[in-house]
mmCIF file with all atom_site columns, all heavy atoms in Angstrom:
data_model
loop_
_atom_site.group_PDB
_atom_site.id
_atom_site.type_symbol
_atom_site.label_atom_id
_atom_site.label_alt_id
_atom_site.label_comp_id
_atom_site.label_asym_id
_atom_site.label_entity_id
_atom_site.label_seq_id
_atom_site.pdbx_PDB_ins_code
_atom_site.Cartn_x
_atom_site.Cartn_y
_atom_site.Cartn_z
_atom_site.occupancy
_atom_site.B_iso_or_equiv
_atom_site.pdbx_formal_charge
_atom_site.auth_seq_id
_atom_site.auth_comp_id
_atom_site.auth_asym_id
_atom_site.auth_atom_id
_atom_site.pdbx_PDB_model_num
ATOM 1   N N   . GLN B 1 81  ? 216.286 58.381 199.603 1.00 97.00 ? 90  GLN B N   1
ATOM 2   C CA  . GLN B 1 81  ? 215.466 58.684 198.433 1.00 97.00 ? 90  GLN B CA  1
ATOM 3   C C   . GLN B 1 81  ? 214.043 58.198 198.708 1.00 97.00 ? 90  GLN B C   1
ATOM 4   O O   . GLN B 1 81  ? 213.812 57.371 199.592 1.00 97.00 ? 90  GLN B O   1
ATOM 5   C CB  . GLN B 1 81  ? 216.037 57.972 197.205 1.00 97.00 ? 90  GLN B CB  1
ATOM 6   C CG  . GLN B 1 81  ? 217.454 58.400 196.857 1.00 97.00 ? 90  GLN B CG  1
ATOM 7   C CD  . GLN B 1 81  ? 218.032 57.657 195.680 1.00 97.00 ? 90  GLN B CD  1
ATOM 8   O OE1 . GLN B 1 81  ? 217.389 56.782 195.089 1.00 97.00 ? 90  GLN B OE1 1
ATOM 9   N NE2 . GLN B 1 81  ? 219.255 58.009 195.296 1.00 97.00 ? 90  GLN B NE2 1
ATOM 10  N N   . LEU B 1 82  ? 213.117 58.710 197.929 1.00 97.00 ? 91  LEU B N   1
ATOM 11  C CA  . LEU B 1 82  ? 211.715 58.325 198.125 1.00 97.00 ? 91  LEU B CA  1
ATOM 12  C C   . LEU B 1 82  ? 211.549 56.808 198.018 1.00 97.00 ? 91  LEU B C   1
ATOM 13  O O   . LEU B 1 82  ? 210.718 56.214 198.713 1.00 97.00 ? 91  LEU B O   1
ATOM 14  C CB  . LEU B 1 82  ? 210.819 59.034 197.113 1.00 97.00 ? 91  LEU B CB  1
ATOM 15  C CG  . LEU B 1 82  ? 210.777 60.559 197.201 1.00 97.00 ? 91  LEU B CG  1
ATOM 16  C CD1 . LEU B 1 82  ? 209.866 61.124 196.124 1.00 97.00 ? 91  LEU B CD1 1
ATOM 17  C CD2 . LEU B 1 82  ? 210.327 61.019 198.584 1.00 97.00 ? 91  LEU B CD2 1
ATOM 18  N N   . SER B 1 83  ? 212.359 56.191 197.179 1.00 97.00 ? 92  SER B N   1
ATOM 19  C CA  . SER B 1 83  ? 212.248 54.739 196.985 1.00 97.00 ? 92  SER B CA  1
ATOM 20  C C   . SER B 1 83  ? 212.753 53.937 198.191 1.00 97.00 ? 92  SER B C   1
ATOM 21  O O   . SER B 1 83  ? 212.594 52.718 198.232 1.00 97.00 ? 92  SER B O   1
ATOM 22  C CB  . SER B 1 83  ? 213.037 54.316 195.740 1.00 97.00 ? 92  SER B CB  1
ATOM 23  O OG  . SER B 1 83  ? 214.401 54.672 195.887 1.00 97.00 ? 92  SER B OG  1
ATOM 24  N N   . ASP B 1 84  ? 213.348 54.629 199.146 1.00 97.00 ? 93  ASP B N   1
ATOM 25  C CA  . ASP B 1 84  ? 213.787 53.939 200.369 1.00 97.00 ? 93  ASP B CA  1
ATOM 26  C C   . ASP B 1 84  ? 212.624 53.709 201.326 1.00 97.00 ? 93  ASP B C   1
ATOM 27  O O   . ASP B 1 84  ? 212.777 53.005 202.333 1.00 97.00 ? 93  ASP B O   1
ATOM 28  C CB  . ASP B 1 84  ? 214.873 54.743 201.093 1.00 97.00 ? 93  ASP B CB  1
ATOM 29  C CG  . ASP B 1 84  ? 216.166 54.817 200.302 1.00 97.00 ? 93  ASP B CG  1
ATOM 30  O OD1 . ASP B 1 84  ? 216.460 53.866 199.549 1.00 97.00 ? 93  ASP B OD1 1
ATOM 31  O OD2 . ASP B 1 84  ? 216.870 55.835 200.426 1.00 97.00 ? 93  ASP B OD2 1
ATOM 32  N N   . SER B 1 85  ? 211.483 54.301 201.048 1.00 98.00 ? 94  SER B N   1
ATOM 33  C CA  . SER B 1 85  ? 210.299 54.083 201.888 1.00 98.00 ? 94  SER B CA  1
ATOM 34  C C   . SER B 1 85  ? 209.924 52.612 201.828 1.00 98.00 ? 94  SER B C   1
ATOM 35  O O   . SER B 1 85  ? 209.579 52.085 200.760 1.00 98.00 ? 94  SER B O   1
ATOM 36  C CB  . SER B 1 85  ? 209.127 54.935 201.392 1.00 98.00 ? 94  SER B CB  1
ATOM 37  O OG  . SER B 1 85  ? 209.396 56.315 201.536 1.00 98.00 ? 94  SER B OG  1
ATOM 38  N N   . ALA B 1 86  ? 210.018 51.954 202.972 1.00 97.00 ? 95  ALA B N   1
ATOM 39  C CA  . ALA B 1 86  ? 209.815 50.508 203.010 1.00 97.00 ? 95  ALA B CA  1
ATOM 40  C C   . ALA B 1 86  ? 209.917 50.049 204.459 1.00 97.00 ? 95  ALA B C   1
ATOM 41  O O   . ALA B 1 86  ? 210.192 50.843 205.361 1.00 97.00 ? 95  ALA B O   1
ATOM 42  C CB  . ALA B 1 86  ? 210.869 49.785 202.173 1.00 97.00 ? 95  ALA B CB  1
ATOM 43  N N   . SER B 1 87  ? 209.703 48.756 204.656 1.00 97.00 ? 96  SER B N   1
ATOM 44  C CA  . SER B 1 87  ? 209.961 48.145 205.951 1.00 97.00 ? 96  SER B CA  1
ATOM 45  C C   . SER B 1 87  ? 211.294 47.410 205.855 1.00 97.00 ? 96  SER B C   1
ATOM 46  O O   . SER B 1 87  ? 211.548 46.702 204.872 1.00 97.00 ? 96  SER B O   1
ATOM 47  C CB  . SER B 1 87  ? 208.839 47.170 206.317 1.00 97.00 ? 96  SER B CB  1
ATOM 48  O OG  . SER B 1 87  ? 209.113 46.541 207.553 1.00 97.00 ? 96  SER B OG  1
ATOM 49  N N   . TYR B 1 88  ? 212.142 47.570 206.845 1.00 98.00 ? 97  TYR B N   1
ATOM 50  C CA  . TYR B 1 88  ? 213.456 46.927 206.855 1.00 98.00 ? 97  TYR B CA  1
ATOM 51  C C   . TYR B 1 88  ? 213.457 45.889 207.971 1.00 98.00 ? 97  TYR B C   1
ATOM 52  O O   . TYR B 1 88  ? 213.249 46.216 209.140 1.00 98.00 ? 97  TYR B O   1
ATOM 53  C CB  . TYR B 1 88  ? 214.558 47.964 207.056 1.00 98.00 ? 97  TYR B CB  1
ATOM 54  C CG  . TYR B 1 88  ? 214.649 48.898 205.869 1.00 98.00 ? 97  TYR B CG  1
ATOM 55  C CD1 . TYR B 1 88  ? 213.823 50.014 205.781 1.00 98.00 ? 97  TYR B CD1 1
ATOM 56  C CD2 . TYR B 1 88  ? 215.521 48.637 204.814 1.00 98.00 ? 97  TYR B CD2 1
ATOM 57  C CE1 . TYR B 1 88  ? 213.872 50.848 204.670 1.00 98.00 ? 97  TYR B CE1 1
ATOM 58  C CE2 . TYR B 1 88  ? 215.577 49.461 203.711 1.00 98.00 ? 97  TYR B CE2 1
ATOM 59  C CZ  . TYR B 1 88  ? 214.749 50.565 203.641 1.00 98.00 ? 97  TYR B CZ  1
ATOM 60  O OH  . TYR B 1 88  ? 214.795 51.384 202.549 1.00 98.00 ? 97  TYR B OH  1
ATOM 61  N N   . ILE B 1 89  ? 213.682 44.657 207.579 1.00 97.00 ? 98  ILE B N   1
ATOM 62  C CA  . ILE B 1 89  ? 213.529 43.534 208.498 1.00 97.00 ? 98  ILE B CA  1
ATOM 63  C C   . ILE B 1 89  ? 214.887 42.908 208.791 1.00 97.00 ? 98  ILE B C   1
ATOM 64  O O   . ILE B 1 89  ? 215.646 42.581 207.868 1.00 97.00 ? 98  ILE B O   1
ATOM 65  C CB  . ILE B 1 89  ? 212.575 42.465 207.915 1.00 97.00 ? 98  ILE B CB  1
ATOM 66  C CG1 . ILE B 1 89  ? 211.211 43.094 207.591 1.00 97.00 ? 98  ILE B CG1 1
ATOM 67  C CG2 . ILE B 1 89  ? 212.404 41.297 208.891 1.00 97.00 ? 98  ILE B CG2 1
ATOM 68  C CD1 . ILE B 1 89  ? 210.289 42.192 206.807 1.00 97.00 ? 98  ILE B CD1 1
ATOM 69  N N   . CYS B 1 90  ? 215.187 42.754 210.053 1.00 96.00 ? 99  CYS B N   1
ATOM 70  C CA  . CYS B 1 90  ? 216.422 42.121 210.510 1.00 96.00 ? 99  CYS B CA  1
ATOM 71  C C   . CYS B 1 90  ? 216.136 40.646 210.774 1.00 96.00 ? 99  CYS B C   1
ATOM 72  O O   . CYS B 1 90  ? 215.172 40.313 211.483 1.00 96.00 ? 99  CYS B O   1
ATOM 73  C CB  . CYS B 1 90  ? 216.888 42.827 211.782 1.00 96.00 ? 99  CYS B CB  1
ATOM 74  S SG  . CYS B 1 90  ? 218.364 42.131 212.548 1.00 96.00 ? 99  CYS B SG  1
ATOM 75  N N   . VAL B 1 91  ? 216.937 39.776 210.202 1.00 94.00 ? 100 VAL B N   1
ATOM 76  C CA  . VAL B 1 91  ? 216.724 38.329 210.341 1.00 94.00 ? 100 VAL B CA  1
ATOM 77  C C   . VAL B 1 91  ? 218.033 37.689 210.801 1.00 94.00 ? 100 VAL B C   1
ATOM 78  O O   . VAL B 1 91  ? 219.061 37.816 210.135 1.00 94.00 ? 100 VAL B O   1
ATOM 79  C CB  . VAL B 1 91  ? 216.275 37.689 209.012 1.00 94.00 ? 100 VAL B CB  1
ATOM 80  C CG1 . VAL B 1 91  ? 216.009 36.199 209.202 1.00 94.00 ? 100 VAL B CG1 1
ATOM 81  C CG2 . VAL B 1 91  ? 215.038 38.383 208.474 1.00 94.00 ? 100 VAL B CG2 1
ATOM 82  N N   . VAL B 1 92  ? 217.982 37.004 211.924 1.00 92.00 ? 101 VAL B N   1
ATOM 83  C CA  . VAL B 1 92  ? 219.186 36.392 212.485 1.00 92.00 ? 101 VAL B CA  1
ATOM 84  C C   . VAL B 1 92  ? 219.094 34.883 212.342 1.00 92.00 ? 101 VAL B C   1
ATOM 85  O O   . VAL B 1 92  ? 218.069 34.271 212.684 1.00 92.00 ? 101 VAL B O   1
ATOM 86  C CB  . VAL B 1 92  ? 219.364 36.771 213.966 1.00 92.00 ? 101 VAL B CB  1
ATOM 87  C CG1 . VAL B 1 92  ? 220.672 36.179 214.500 1.00 92.00 ? 101 VAL B CG1 1
ATOM 88  C CG2 . VAL B 1 92  ? 219.366 38.287 214.127 1.00 92.00 ? 101 VAL B CG2 1
ATOM 89  N N   . SER B 1 93  ? 220.179 34.302 211.863 1.00 89.00 ? 102 SER B N   1
ATOM 90  C CA  . SER B 1 93  ? 220.221 32.860 211.651 1.00 89.00 ? 102 SER B CA  1
ATOM 91  C C   . SER B 1 93  ? 221.005 32.184 212.763 1.00 89.00 ? 102 SER B C   1
ATOM 92  O O   . SER B 1 93  ? 222.066 32.664 213.173 1.00 89.00 ? 102 SER B O   1
ATOM 93  C CB  . SER B 1 93  ? 220.874 32.559 210.306 1.00 89.00 ? 102 SER B CB  1
ATOM 94  O OG  . SER B 1 93  ? 221.072 31.178 210.144 1.00 89.00 ? 102 SER B OG  1
ATOM 95  N N   . SER B 1 94  ? 220.466 31.080 213.239 1.00 84.00 ? 103 SER B N   1
ATOM 96  C CA  . SER B 1 94  ? 221.130 30.296 214.281 1.00 84.00 ? 103 SER B CA  1
ATOM 97  C C   . SER B 1 94  ? 221.300 28.882 213.771 1.00 84.00 ? 103 SER B C   1
ATOM 98  O O   . SER B 1 94  ? 220.349 28.264 213.296 1.00 84.00 ? 103 SER B O   1
ATOM 99  C CB  . SER B 1 94  ? 220.286 30.297 215.547 1.00 84.00 ? 103 SER B CB  1
ATOM 100 O OG  . SER B 1 94  ? 220.860 29.456 216.526 1.00 84.00 ? 103 SER B OG  1
ATOM 101 N N   . LEU B 1 95  ? 222.496 28.376 213.859 1.00 75.00 ? 104 LEU B N   1
ATOM 102 C CA  . LEU B 1 95  ? 222.764 27.016 213.412 1.00 75.00 ? 104 LEU B CA  1
ATOM 103 C C   . LEU B 1 95  ? 222.756 26.093 214.618 1.00 75.00 ? 104 LEU B C   1
ATOM 104 O O   . LEU B 1 95  ? 223.607 26.182 215.486 1.00 75.00 ? 104 LEU B O   1
ATOM 105 C CB  . LEU B 1 95  ? 224.124 26.947 212.714 1.00 75.00 ? 104 LEU B CB  1
ATOM 106 C CG  . LEU B 1 95  ? 224.512 25.585 212.129 1.00 75.00 ? 104 LEU B CG  1
ATOM 107 C CD1 . LEU B 1 95  ? 223.507 25.140 211.085 1.00 75.00 ? 104 LEU B CD1 1
ATOM 108 C CD2 . LEU B 1 95  ? 225.896 25.653 211.520 1.00 75.00 ? 104 LEU B CD2 1
ATOM 109 N N   . ARG B 1 96  ? 221.753 25.272 214.656 1.00 66.00 ? 105 ARG B N   1
ATOM 110 C CA  . ARG B 1 96  ? 221.615 24.380 215.816 1.00 66.00 ? 105 ARG B CA  1
ATOM 111 C C   . ARG B 1 96  ? 221.310 22.980 215.295 1.00 66.00 ? 105 ARG B C   1
ATOM 112 O O   . ARG B 1 96  ? 220.377 22.800 214.522 1.00 66.00 ? 105 ARG B O   1
ATOM 113 C CB  . ARG B 1 96  ? 220.499 24.866 216.727 1.00 66.00 ? 105 ARG B CB  1
ATOM 114 C CG  . ARG B 1 96  ? 220.362 24.104 218.025 1.00 66.00 ? 105 ARG B CG  1
ATOM 115 C CD  . ARG B 1 96  ? 219.173 24.661 218.821 1.00 66.00 ? 105 ARG B CD  1
ATOM 116 N NE  . ARG B 1 96  ? 219.415 26.000 219.323 1.00 66.00 ? 105 ARG B NE  1
ATOM 117 C CZ  . ARG B 1 96  ? 220.031 26.286 220.472 1.00 66.00 ? 105 ARG B CZ  1
ATOM 118 N NH1 . ARG B 1 96  ? 220.481 25.290 221.230 1.00 66.00 ? 105 ARG B NH1 1
ATOM 119 N NH2 . ARG B 1 96  ? 220.189 27.519 220.857 1.00 66.00 ? 105 ARG B NH2 1
ATOM 120 N N   . TYR B 1 97  ? 222.105 22.032 215.746 1.00 55.00 ? 106 TYR B N   1
ATOM 121 C CA  . TYR B 1 97  ? 221.895 20.642 215.362 1.00 55.00 ? 106 TYR B CA  1
ATOM 122 C C   . TYR B 1 97  ? 221.875 20.472 213.834 1.00 55.00 ? 106 TYR B C   1
ATOM 123 O O   . TYR B 1 97  ? 221.129 19.657 213.312 1.00 55.00 ? 106 TYR B O   1
ATOM 124 C CB  . TYR B 1 97  ? 220.594 20.091 215.954 1.00 55.00 ? 106 TYR B CB  1
ATOM 125 C CG  . TYR B 1 97  ? 220.434 20.377 217.419 1.00 55.00 ? 106 TYR B CG  1
ATOM 126 C CD1 . TYR B 1 97  ? 219.345 21.081 217.896 1.00 55.00 ? 106 TYR B CD1 1
ATOM 127 C CD2 . TYR B 1 97  ? 221.393 19.961 218.334 1.00 55.00 ? 106 TYR B CD2 1
ATOM 128 C CE1 . TYR B 1 97  ? 219.198 21.358 219.245 1.00 55.00 ? 106 TYR B CE1 1
ATOM 129 C CE2 . TYR B 1 97  ? 221.257 20.243 219.683 1.00 55.00 ? 106 TYR B CE2 1
ATOM 130 C CZ  . TYR B 1 97  ? 220.154 20.947 220.137 1.00 55.00 ? 106 TYR B CZ  1
ATOM 131 O OH  . TYR B 1 97  ? 220.015 21.214 221.475 1.00 55.00 ? 106 TYR B OH  1
ATOM 132 N N   . GLY B 1 98  ? 222.682 21.231 213.146 1.00 54.00 ? 107 GLY B N   1
ATOM 133 C CA  . GLY B 1 98  ? 222.778 21.110 211.699 1.00 54.00 ? 107 GLY B CA  1
ATOM 134 C C   . GLY B 1 98  ? 221.658 21.778 210.939 1.00 54.00 ? 107 GLY B C   1
ATOM 135 O O   . GLY B 1 98  ? 221.632 21.759 209.720 1.00 54.00 ? 107 GLY B O   1
ATOM 136 N N   . ASN B 1 99  ? 220.704 22.376 211.652 1.00 60.00 ? 108 ASN B N   1
ATOM 137 C CA  . ASN B 1 99  ? 219.606 23.057 210.970 1.00 60.00 ? 108 ASN B CA  1
ATOM 138 C C   . ASN B 1 99  ? 219.688 24.553 211.217 1.00 60.00 ? 108 ASN B C   1
ATOM 139 O O   . ASN B 1 99  ? 219.883 24.989 212.345 1.00 60.00 ? 108 ASN B O   1
ATOM 140 C CB  . ASN B 1 99  ? 218.253 22.563 211.479 1.00 60.00 ? 108 ASN B CB  1
ATOM 141 C CG  . ASN B 1 99  ? 217.971 21.149 211.049 1.00 60.00 ? 108 ASN B CG  1
ATOM 142 O OD1 . ASN B 1 99  ? 218.255 20.787 209.920 1.00 60.00 ? 108 ASN B OD1 1
ATOM 143 N ND2 . ASN B 1 99  ? 217.424 20.349 211.936 1.00 60.00 ? 108 ASN B ND2 1
ATOM 144 N N   . ASN B 1 100 ? 219.506 25.322 210.158 1.00 65.00 ? 109 ASN B N   1
ATOM 145 C CA  . ASN B 1 100 ? 219.439 26.765 210.325 1.00 65.00 ? 109 ASN B CA  1
ATOM 146 C C   . ASN B 1 100 ? 218.034 27.181 210.735 1.00 65.00 ? 109 ASN B C   1
ATOM 147 O O   . ASN B 1 100 ? 217.065 26.762 210.132 1.00 65.00 ? 109 ASN B O   1
ATOM 148 C CB  . ASN B 1 100 ? 219.808 27.476 209.025 1.00 65.00 ? 109 ASN B CB  1
ATOM 149 C CG  . ASN B 1 100 ? 221.300 27.603 208.875 1.00 65.00 ? 109 ASN B CG  1
ATOM 150 O OD1 . ASN B 1 100 ? 221.944 26.714 208.383 1.00 65.00 ? 109 ASN B OD1 1
ATOM 151 N ND2 . ASN B 1 100 ? 221.841 28.700 209.362 1.00 65.00 ? 109 ASN B ND2 1
ATOM 152 N N   . ARG B 1 101 ? 217.960 27.979 211.776 1.00 78.00 ? 110 ARG B N   1
ATOM 153 C CA  . ARG B 1 101 ? 216.688 28.536 212.200 1.00 78.00 ? 110 ARG B CA  1
ATOM 154 C C   . ARG B 1 101 ? 216.784 30.042 212.077 1.00 78.00 ? 110 ARG B C   1
ATOM 155 O O   . ARG B 1 101 ? 217.794 30.635 212.436 1.00 78.00 ? 110 ARG B O   1
ATOM 156 C CB  . ARG B 1 101 ? 216.387 28.150 213.656 1.00 78.00 ? 110 ARG B CB  1
ATOM 157 C CG  . ARG B 1 101 ? 216.000 26.705 213.814 1.00 78.00 ? 110 ARG B CG  1
ATOM 158 C CD  . ARG B 1 101 ? 214.626 26.447 213.214 1.00 78.00 ? 110 ARG B CD  1
ATOM 159 N NE  . ARG B 1 101 ? 214.217 25.064 213.306 1.00 78.00 ? 110 ARG B NE  1
ATOM 160 C CZ  . ARG B 1 101 ? 212.969 24.658 213.509 1.00 78.00 ? 110 ARG B CZ  1
ATOM 161 N NH1 . ARG B 1 101 ? 212.017 25.557 213.644 1.00 78.00 ? 110 ARG B NH1 1
ATOM 162 N NH2 . ARG B 1 101 ? 212.687 23.382 213.558 1.00 78.00 ? 110 ARG B NH2 1
ATOM 163 N N   . LEU B 1 102 ? 215.729 30.644 211.573 1.00 86.00 ? 111 LEU B N   1
ATOM 164 C CA  . LEU B 1 102 ? 215.710 32.077 211.373 1.00 86.00 ? 111 LEU B CA  1
ATOM 165 C C   . LEU B 1 102 ? 214.812 32.748 212.393 1.00 86.00 ? 111 LEU B C   1
ATOM 166 O O   . LEU B 1 102 ? 213.686 32.303 212.617 1.00 86.00 ? 111 LEU B O   1
ATOM 167 C CB  . LEU B 1 102 ? 215.218 32.405 209.962 1.00 86.00 ? 111 LEU B CB  1
ATOM 168 C CG  . LEU B 1 102 ? 216.025 31.811 208.815 1.00 86.00 ? 111 LEU B CG  1
ATOM 169 C CD1 . LEU B 1 102 ? 215.406 32.214 207.475 1.00 86.00 ? 111 LEU B CD1 1
ATOM 170 C CD2 . LEU B 1 102 ? 217.476 32.264 208.874 1.00 86.00 ? 111 LEU B CD2 1
ATOM 171 N N   . ALA B 1 103 ? 215.311 33.831 212.993 1.00 89.00 ? 112 ALA B N   1
ATOM 172 C CA  . ALA B 1 103 ? 214.516 34.637 213.909 1.00 89.00 ? 112 ALA B CA  1
ATOM 173 C C   . ALA B 1 103 ? 214.314 35.998 213.256 1.00 89.00 ? 112 ALA B C   1
ATOM 174 O O   . ALA B 1 103 ? 215.293 36.654 212.869 1.00 89.00 ? 112 ALA B O   1
ATOM 175 C CB  . ALA B 1 103 ? 215.222 34.781 215.247 1.00 89.00 ? 112 ALA B CB  1
ATOM 176 N N   . PHE B 1 104 ? 213.052 36.412 213.133 1.00 92.00 ? 113 PHE B N   1
ATOM 177 C CA  . PHE B 1 104 ? 212.712 37.647 212.426 1.00 92.00 ? 113 PHE B CA  1
ATOM 178 C C   . PHE B 1 104 ? 212.410 38.770 213.416 1.00 92.00 ? 113 PHE B C   1
ATOM 179 O O   . PHE B 1 104 ? 211.730 38.555 214.418 1.00 92.00 ? 113 PHE B O   1
ATOM 180 C CB  . PHE B 1 104 ? 211.465 37.427 211.565 1.00 92.00 ? 113 PHE B CB  1
ATOM 181 C CG  . PHE B 1 104 ? 211.707 36.646 210.309 1.00 92.00 ? 113 PHE B CG  1
ATOM 182 C CD1 . PHE B 1 104 ? 211.909 35.271 210.362 1.00 92.00 ? 113 PHE B CD1 1
ATOM 183 C CD2 . PHE B 1 104 ? 211.724 37.271 209.076 1.00 92.00 ? 113 PHE B CD2 1
ATOM 184 C CE1 . PHE B 1 104 ? 212.133 34.537 209.201 1.00 92.00 ? 113 PHE B CE1 1
ATOM 185 C CE2 . PHE B 1 104 ? 211.943 36.549 207.906 1.00 92.00 ? 113 PHE B CE2 1
ATOM 186 C CZ  . PHE B 1 104 ? 212.147 35.187 207.974 1.00 92.00 ? 113 PHE B CZ  1
ATOM 187 N N   . GLY B 1 105 ? 212.894 39.969 213.083 1.00 95.00 ? 114 GLY B N   1
ATOM 188 C CA  . GLY B 1 105 ? 212.428 41.152 213.782 1.00 95.00 ? 114 GLY B CA  1
ATOM 189 C C   . GLY B 1 105 ? 211.111 41.609 213.184 1.00 95.00 ? 114 GLY B C   1
ATOM 190 O O   . GLY B 1 105 ? 210.677 41.110 212.142 1.00 95.00 ? 114 GLY B O   1
#
Side-chain angles (χ1 to χ4, degrees):
Chain B
Q90 299 178 359
L91 297 179
S92 59
D93 293 330
S94 295
S96 178
Y97 293 85
I98 303 170
C99 177
V100 182
V101 183
S102 173
S103 175
L104 183 60
R105 186 182 291 274
Y106 312 122
N108 290 319
N109 277 86
R110 287 290 178 145
L111 302 179
F113 284 75

